[in-house]
Amino acid sequence: MKRFISILSAVLLLSAAVFADDYYDDDEEYDDGYVYEQNGAGDQFLKIDLAANFPLNFDSQLKVGGLVSIGYYRFLNQYLAIGGDLLVSYNRSVGKKSLFSVPVTFGVMYQPYVGKFEFPLQLNIGFATQTCQSMTYFPAFAARFNAGVYYRFSETWSFGISSTTYWIPEFFWIGKREDGKINYKGYKSDNGFFTGVGLSVRYHF
């Protein structure tokens, strides 16, 4: 009798272990049918760009400089996001004068993707501050177009190459120095086009 009870107890324990294993296996293979997208409404990211800054229409009067850009965007759906960027650029003239431009722009981003590769396209408008030869002009109109290729390394981080082209109307004061002072007679405007190409990192949350 004792032997029978021992055998029965062993069979029951073994059966319980098998059923428990089947239960967890079924649970792990459960598919609720929902497709989880890489980005969705409410997802956000911060990005930092570091790039060389190329002047496009200054007839070699400006040298290649550099820029840094910081941006924030929030997705409306898996493809569209809205946000803004702060960009600081620096170039030197052939006369060793420094030009600083600080555009602040806001706009929309459209981002298709293939697997873990993302291809954002941004169009922004805003305003800018410009400083050259100790003179500052504010506000100036600014428009910016940005494109890039990113690899989604993880759910949190993506890395890539980005290119940004921005336009700022350049304002130059006209005047002459008299008795140690500059008497301004007015100003003229021109169009300043720049393109930055460099590396970018994004933090997703």
Side-chain angles (χ1 to χ4, degrees):
M1 186 65 179
K2 291 182 178 179
R3 181 177 297 179
F4 174 76
I5 294 175
S6 298
I7 295 174
L8 181 61
S9 299
V11 171
L12 291 175
L13 288 173
L14 181 62
S15 300
V18 170
F19 282 118
D21 185 65
D22 289 341
Y23 172 80
Y24 286 112
D25 286 344
D26 292 342
D27 185 62
E28 290 177 358
E29 296 175 359
Y30 175 72
D31 184 3
D32 60 6
Y34 184 79
V35 178
Y36 293 90
E37 302 293 346
Q38 197 155 268
N39 298 297
D43 289 349
Q44 307 165 68
F45 68 82
L46 297 171
K47 71 184 186 76
I48 298 178
D49 304 325
L50 295 175
N53 193 40
F54 299 90
L56 301 182
N57 65 326
F58 288 86
D59 298 325
S60 301
Q61 297 301 304
L62 284 180
K63 299 180 180 180
V64 176
L67 68 82
V68 59
S69 176
I70 301 174
Y72 163 80
Y73 284 82
R74 182 184 180 91
F75 281 90
L76 302 178
N77 55 44
Q78 64 176 320
Y79 297 114
L80 289 176
I82 56 173
D85 297 85
L86 168 67
L87 184 151
V88 179
S89 68
Y90 167 80
N91 295 86
R92 293 270 286 181
S93 72
V94 292
K96 297 184 179 180
K97 304 297 183 182
S98 299
L99 171 65
F100 289 93
S101 299
V102 185
V104 178
T105 58
F106 304 90
V108 62
M109 180 189 75
Y110 171 71
Q111 180 178 269
Y113 64 92
V114 177
K116 292 189 175 183
F117 288 93
E118 300 174 321
F119 307 92
L121 301 172
Q122 296 172 217
L123 183 60
N124 293 22
I125 59 172
F127 57 89
T129 299
Q130 293 180 288
T131 301
C132 185
Q133 301 184 49
S134 299
M135 293 182 291
T136 298
Y137 182 82
F138 174 84
F141 175 78
R144 179 180 180 185
F145 174 75
N146 190 85
V149 177
Y150 291 82
Y151 178 75
R152 194 67 172 265
F153 183 77
S154 68
E155 184 178 344
T156 305
W157 295 98
S158 60
F159 303 89
I161 300 172
S162 65
S163 173
T164 183
T165 297
Y166 62 98
W167 166 55
I168 303 174
E170 303 286 329
F171 286 82
F172 301 95
W173 289 101
I174 302 171
K176 61 181 181 179
R177 183 175 296 276
E178 297 177 350
D179 300 327
K181 299 180 180 180
I182 298 178
N183 295 321
Y184 296 107
K185 305 299 183 182
Y187 64 87
K188 66 177 181 179
S189 64
D190 198 359
N191 292 311
F193 290 94
F194 300 83
T195 290
V197 179
L199 302 177
S200 183
V201 59
R202 304 191 297 183
Y203 172 70
H204 303 262
F205 59 99

